[in-house]
Amino acid sequence: MFTTRPELAGTHGMVASTHWLASATGMAVLEDGGNAFDAAVAAGFVLQVAEPHLNGPGGQVPAIFVTAADRTPRVLAGQGVSPGAATPEHFAGLGLDLIPGSGLLAATVPGAWDGWLLMLRDHGTKRLRDVLKYAISYARDGVPLVARVTDTIAAVSDLFRDHWTSSAELWLHAKPGELHRNPALAATWERLLREAESVNDRDAQIETARRAWSRGFIAESIDAFSRQAFRDDSGRDHAGLLTADDLANWEATYEDALITDVGDWGLVKLGAWTQGPALAQQVLLLDGFRDELSYVDGVPTARTVHLATECAKLAFADREAWYGDTDVPLDVLLSAEYTAARRALITDEASAELRPGNGGRLPSIIEELRGAQAGSGATGEPTVGPQGRTRGDTVHIDVVDAAGNMVSATPSGGWLQSSPTIPELGFCLDSRAQMFWLEQGLPNSLRPGKRPRITLSPSMALRHGEPAIAFGTPGGDQQDQWQLCFWLAHTLGGLNLQEAIDSPAWHTTAFPSSFYPRSWTPRELVVESRVGQSTLDELAERGHRVVDAGPWSLGRLSAVSRDPATGILRAAANARGAQGYAAGR
């Protein structure tokens, strides 16, 4: 029997994130008179210290937001581009057919700092020091590390000792539950603040801090460090490609959001330079099966899980064939005619095919990647394994305030195991370029100055056209599958935010991973056991290769909502792992 679990409710402000320190920080900023944007930025920086195996200063931040004055959702595009020297010819000359998932070759221009500061400048109210002081304090004085951080460090300890000695010096002494300090990172942030505070005006300080990063000492250090060679997933040592010019020539921007209407609801996602539209495709496909979908006592039926899984396979096949930082025909992929034709492919049996539509072309290497195993070297994206064992993923934060400002952000990249620590800065670069294909002629083919097609995928939901919910989850390729579980549980199953997050989740690995070595397993379906043995058995009978993930293992969702009629705010966070936290008043 499903047990009702209440959401938090209040009228002043709500914060929900993947770590309690970030949620507490965001709430402290709201209590101090800040708005949702101030709170999100402060919490975002704290996540870089509290969950360093999942995100860092050298990473990126995509977000969806609305303001109290403008109810049209907008996108913060805080994903940097590939270096100017990142050509297919360069990788071919190294004898590589995939971009390694770790080390310096996979680095893109860091986007998190510029993205957060752009949001703060245009929509926040606080000064930079007011939002950065919390993260500086935790980096300088220490933060208690959860076991997942030290487990990650243990997994790459030999690499650190033998090849990444700067990372060894910073991380190998860390112990679970004990305070870990990163004085170099605290000093980096303090230096950025000192340069910012050489001027008095708030906006001018933020702009000065942005330049100090992209055209100052940060860019100089990254340029110099990238010229060194370090071990990566290929099992060999390679120098990086990022230069100071790459940082100077990029900055975060705003974009229009993708809004897909489904009945009274509107699903808001980022564009097809992310995997976000795959959630829209799944929702549209399933809308044609709505009379066959159901939840009983908060648990999805076997039919619901089967249909959702088959829809996911079709959507993610299209992701692989069509999505990228280029002109993507979303008007076709999300059209009623195309959706109906794709829906007709779904049967009562689990498909083993990777079937993009509209004549989409898949990378020629894909068949070689079935069941591929990572070689020696570091882990790339620390995503969820096929048995549901979490090796890590990324982070997420949602904030809403009484005025109606709302933010959904999924920061990631620059995790401690992605590349060696730059010793004088106290952080490392990201490895997001591993998502490119080196084969040319594809939407997601590598070229200089291009964004990789990322998995990071924050979400927002409109109800009758009004922003109602901000939600999201870490989890790499699983993000827009676990969010589908939440969406179905809430909009179809009638569960509240917390119940929808708690409801049993599932995902399939029957399409190529976005992370090195890009493996996939046709028909594999990973399911939380709380769906019940009869459901697991029925799914197996339909041809799914069912993996029992245990009762509580999939997803790290958080969500906030605002009822426009009453002004009541709500929030909920993931119970899995006892780390996510929702706060409000």
Side-chain angles (χ1 to χ4, degrees):
M1 178 67 69
F2 183 77
T3 302
T4 299
R5 299 184 64 170
E7 312 152 303
L8 290 179
T11 57
H12 290 79
M14 289 283 168
V15 184
S17 82
T18 52
H19 196 285
W20 64 88
L21 289 178
S23 298
T25 296
M27 201 62 220
V29 173
L30 291 175
E31 295 276 6
D32 193 43
N35 66 15
F37 298 101
D38 299 314
V41 174
F45 283 125
V46 167
L47 285 170
Q48 295 176 3
V49 184
E51 297 193 278
H53 60 315
L54 308 178
N55 77 138
Q60 51 278 146
V61 56
I64 300 172
F65 65 90
V66 295
T67 69
D70 185 353
R71 308 308 284 163
T72 301
R74 294 281 286 164
V75 166
L76 173 70
Q79 168 63 56
V81 298
S82 57
T87 63
E89 294 77 16
H90 180 82
F91 287 91
L94 297 175
L96 298 172
D97 54 11
L98 292 173
I99 297 176
S102 63
L104 299 180
L105 276 176
T108 60
V109 174
W113 176 263
D114 202 69
W116 282 128
L117 266 62
L118 180 66
M119 176 181 282
L120 179 68
R121 183 197 71 185
D122 293 342
H123 302 294
T125 64
K126 296 288 190 178
R127 288 180 174 263
L128 181 56
R129 181 174 290 277
D130 294 333
V131 298
L132 192 54
K133 64 182 181 182
Y134 304 93
I136 291 175
S137 175
Y138 285 124
R140 182 187 61 237
D141 301 329
V143 61
L145 295 181
V146 297
R148 289 180 179 179
V149 180
T150 51
D151 288 346
T152 300
I153 295 168
V156 292
S157 58
D158 289 343
L159 174 79
F160 282 13
R161 290 189 189 95
D162 296 341
H163 301 284
W164 296 3
T165 55
S166 59
S167 296
E169 292 172 4
L170 178 58
W171 294 109
L172 287 189
H173 66 277
K175 296 180 181 179
E178 294 188 3
L179 291 179
H180 181 270
R181 297 173 176 83
N182 190 342
L185 178 56
T188 294
W189 280 330
E190 286 284 12
R191 181 174 174 183
L192 287 164
L193 281 178
R194 285 196 303 273
E195 296 202 19
E197 290 169 350
S198 64
V199 296
N200 292 322
D201 179 74
R202 172 190 177 273
D203 289 0
Q205 287 184 355
I206 294 173
E207 286 302 296
T208 300
R210 294 175 75 192
R211 290 194 301 271
W213 181 286
S214 63
R215 297 173 183 268
F217 75 98
I218 299 287
E220 293 170 359
S221 291
I222 289 174
D223 185 305
F225 193 78
S226 294
R227 298 174 190 270
Q228 303 177 56
F230 293 95
R231 185 60 47 92
D232 58 38
D233 264 337
S234 71
R236 292 184 281 141
D237 294 355
H238 293 109
L241 301 173
L242 270 181
T243 67
D245 285 344
D246 291 321
L247 272 73
N249 292 330
W250 179 87
E251 61 182 28
T253 57
Y254 298 118
E255 297 181 1
D256 292 335
L258 173 69
I259 303 175
T260 303
D261 293 325
V262 185
D264 294 338
W265 290 95
L267 175 64
V268 186
K269 299 297 292 185
L270 282 70
W273 57 275
T274 77
Q275 70 175 11
L279 181 56
Q281 287 193 255
Q282 292 172 87
V283 167
L284 289 174
L285 286 165
L286 282 168
D287 191 51
F289 293 117
R290 57 187 174 274
D291 293 339
E292 302 178 51
L293 307 176
S294 62
Y295 279 68
V296 179
D297 292 331
V299 178
T301 61
R303 181 68 173 166
T304 299
V305 176
H306 169 74
L307 290 172
T309 301
E310 297 307 293
C311 289
K313 293 176 184 177
L314 295 175
F316 281 89
D318 277 347
R319 182 198 76 171
E320 219 52 64
W322 288 107
Y323 293 13
D325 190 16
T326 185
D327 293 329
V328 179
L330 287 176
D331 56 336
V332 174
L333 299 180
L334 297 173
S335 68
E337 296 78 13
Y338 180 78
T339 301
R342 298 287 278 165
R343 189 183 297 122
L345 298 175
I346 296 173
T347 70
D348 291 340
E349 297 296 318
S351 172
E353 299 179 68
L354 196 61
R355 300 177 288 180
N358 201 38
R361 170 188 157 198
L362 294 170
S364 58
I365 197 175
I366 274 184
E367 283 302 315
E368 302 175 29
L369 303 177
R370 287 181 183 235
Q373 298 296 315
S376 62
T379 55
E381 159 78 345
T383 190
V384 176
Q387 282 74 43
R389 290 191 298 268
T390 300
R391 291 185 285 131
D393 27 60
T394 183
V395 299
H396 185 80
I397 183 168
D398 301 298
V399 188
V400 62
D401 63 29
N405 298 302
M406 185 181 289
V407 182
S408 176
T410 310
S412 189
W415 39 71
L416 65 87
Q417 67 277 22
S418 63
S419 66
T421 300
I422 304 172
E424 68 271 22
L425 299 181
F427 65 82
C428 59
L429 299 173
D430 83 318
S431 55
R432 196 61 58 178
Q434 67 182 292
M435 295 183 169
F436 285 117
W437 294 109
L438 291 176
E439 178 182 341
Q440 293 302 287
L442 301 164
N444 192 33
S445 295
L446 173 70
R447 73 166 186 265
K450 181 180 180 180
R451 292 176 295 191
R453 191 275 304 143
I454 61 176
T455 53
L456 307 173
S457 192
S459 298
M460 192 170 286
L462 313 179
R463 192 74 190 271
H464 303 293
E466 176 66 19
I469 308 173
F471 64 99
T473 181
D477 295 288
Q478 284 73 246
Q479 288 182 33
D480 286 300
Q481 297 189 73
W482 294 338
Q483 290 184 78
L484 179 67
C485 299
F486 169 83
W487 178 272
L488 293 175
H490 185 63
T491 66
L492 172 73
L495 307 183
N496 68 32
L497 297 185
Q498 190 62 57
E499 293 167 346
I501 289 172
D502 290 350
S503 183
W506 65 89
H507 69 265
T508 180
T509 61
F511 55 87
S513 168
S514 298
F515 305 96
Y516 186 90
R518 314 300 293 269
S519 64
W520 59 294
T521 309
R523 288 199 179 98
E524 184 169 84
L525 175 59
V526 185
V527 192
E528 287 187 328
S529 58
R530 288 179 295 121
V531 298
Q533 189 60 49
S534 62
T535 292
L536 295 175
D537 292 342
E538 182 176 337
L539 291 169
E541 290 170 3
R542 291 180 181 273
H544 297 283
R545 293 179 54 186
V546 177
V547 176
D548 185 343
W552 294 89
S553 59
L554 305 181
R556 293 180 65 211
L557 277 143
S558 64
V560 298
S561 70
R562 179 178 184 270
D563 186 333
T566 64
I568 292 178
L569 310 178
R570 294 181 170 86
N574 180 49
R576 300 163 179 87
Q579 188 174 320
Y581 205 81
R585 70 176 181 90

